[in-house]
Amino acid sequence: MERSTRQRRAIREAFLEAGRPLSPQEVLELARKKVPSLGLATVYRNLKNLLEEGFLVPVALPGEPPRYERAGQAHHHHFLCRACGRVYELSGCDLALTHLPPGFLAEAHEVTVYGRCPQCYSQAG
Amino acid sequence: MERSTRQRRAIREAFLEAGRPLSPQEVLELARKKVPSLGLATVYRNLKNLLEEGFLVPVALPGEPPRYERAGQAHHHHFLCRACGRVYELSGCDLALTHLPPGFLAEAHEVTVYGRCPQCYSQAG
DNA sequence: CCTAACTTGAGAAGAAATTTTCATCCTCCT
DNA sequence: AGGAGGATGAAAATTTCTTCTCAAGTTAGG
């Protein structure tokens, strides 16, 4: 049966506390604040578990390695800060799919906004 | 100085004739119709050249390997067929960026629509 | 507290995409 | 046509990300 370990708790808490999509590397860095000895293999193993048990869902962004976020959220999109590389969740969706050519069937869509997050807004670059 | 070779012409023509973003593998397959001996390394080398000379621009889609399309086109987005994996260009843009949280600065955005292209619309799956 | 079994950490191994190497081929100037 | 140097193809090498291996550490039931 699945056990509760310090590592597993630290990884789960990283997502709860970050409130934004995290890459495996980001998970490692955040969870190491609680379990410094944490290894990357353990992060990958637990990400896989958390996906299987439905706690996380994958988030794909153009040209970016996969990230993961809390499952069960309402339809939303993402913001990628070009300065720090962090991804944020944007609520709502203003997309109207009216211009599809004939014969195309839309089943889903994703919107990615690029720019500067508040922490990077005033910095050089 | 840069020479005009059969391979180089075949690769350039593949983009002109396809009229949609192509992955390196797709370029290889299309250009091999004209130059069957074409190798993948040559495709990569020439993609790099065509990017540098401004004939192509990279197209990144969520969770997809990079593709390339003709440079200099108007603002547009992309459609990814879930059945055949081909990417198409969608004209226009119905996105209104009104819901950014305070402190976020939007510089660009990308929209990806997923679904079925006309060729795959009526097929099983 | 004990023990079986699950977990972990580190490094090796894989997988996938792209780049480099190098001998040979081809293009273009003369 | 001749020749210098860029271009090509195939395979090896890189790079990046993810998974596997295995000895050692931990957890949970008894």
Side-chain angles (χ1 to χ4, degrees):
Chain A
M1 126 250 65
E2 189 164 280
R3 293 177 181 176
S4 173
T5 65
R6 286 179 308 138
Q7 291 85 343
R8 196 157 284 174
R9 286 190 295 275
I11 290 170
R12 196 183 299 256
E13 286 164 12
F15 282 99
L16 295 173
E17 292 168 13
R20 60 187 183 81
L22 300 176
S23 66
Q25 274 299 331
E26 286 177 314
V27 173
L28 181 66
E29 286 153 25
L30 291 174
R32 271 189 171 168
K33 291 177 180 173
K34 296 176 177 174
V35 183
S37 67
L38 184 64
L40 187 53
T42 298
V43 171
Y44 277 104
R45 274 188 293 246
N46 280 292
L47 286 177
K48 193 182 229 177
N49 290 342
L50 293 170
L51 285 167
E52 283 171 3
E53 64 188 62
F55 179 77
L56 296 178
V57 291
V59 176
L61 291 146
E64 291 283 312
R67 289 173 171 75
Y68 303 89
E69 70 182 12
R70 290 294 316 279
Q73 301 187 67
H75 179 68
H76 66 283
H77 295 300
H78 297 96
F79 181 98
L80 172 61
C81 179
R82 286 171 163 169
C84 65
R86 281 191 283 248
V87 174
Y88 299 87
E89 297 175 9
L90 298 177
S91 62
C93 172
D94 294 322
L95 187 67
L97 287 178
T98 56
H99 290 354
L100 274 186
F104 283 82
L105 173 67
E107 296 174 343
H109 69 267
E110 284 187 20
V111 177
T112 309
V113 180
Y114 300 88
R116 292 254 171 174
C117 74
Q119 288 133 85
C120 299
Y121 180 79
S122 52
Q123 293 167 26
Chain B
M1 130 245 65
E2 189 165 281
R3 293 177 181 175
S4 173
T5 65
R6 286 178 309 138
Q7 291 85 345
R8 198 157 284 175
R9 285 190 295 276
I11 291 170
R12 198 182 299 255
E13 285 164 14
F15 282 99
L16 295 172
E17 292 168 13
R20 60 186 183 81
L22 300 176
S23 66
Q25 274 300 330
E26 287 177 315
V27 172
L28 180 67
E29 285 152 26
L30 292 174
R32 271 189 171 167
K33 292 177 180 173
K34 296 176 178 176
V35 183
S37 67
L38 183 64
L40 187 54
T42 299
V43 171
Y44 277 105
R45 275 188 291 247
N46 279 292
L47 287 177
K48 194 182 228 177
N49 291 342
L50 293 170
L51 285 167
E52 283 171 2
E53 64 187 61
F55 178 78
L56 296 178
V57 292
V59 176
L61 291 151
E64 290 285 311
R67 289 173 171 77
Y68 302 90
E69 70 183 10
R70 290 293 317 278
Q73 301 187 67
H75 179 67
H76 65 283
H77 295 299
H78 297 96
F79 181 99
L80 173 62
C81 179
R82 285 170 164 168
C84 66
R86 281 191 283 251
V87 174
Y88 299 86
E89 298 176 8
L90 299 176
S91 62
C93 172
D94 294 320
L95 187 67
L97 287 177
T98 56
H99 289 354
L100 275 186
F104 283 82
L105 173 67
E107 296 173 342
H109 68 266
E110 285 185 20
V111 177
T112 308
V113 180
Y114 300 87
R116 292 255 172 174
C117 74
Q119 288 134 86
C120 299
Y121 181 78
S122 53
Q123 292 168 27

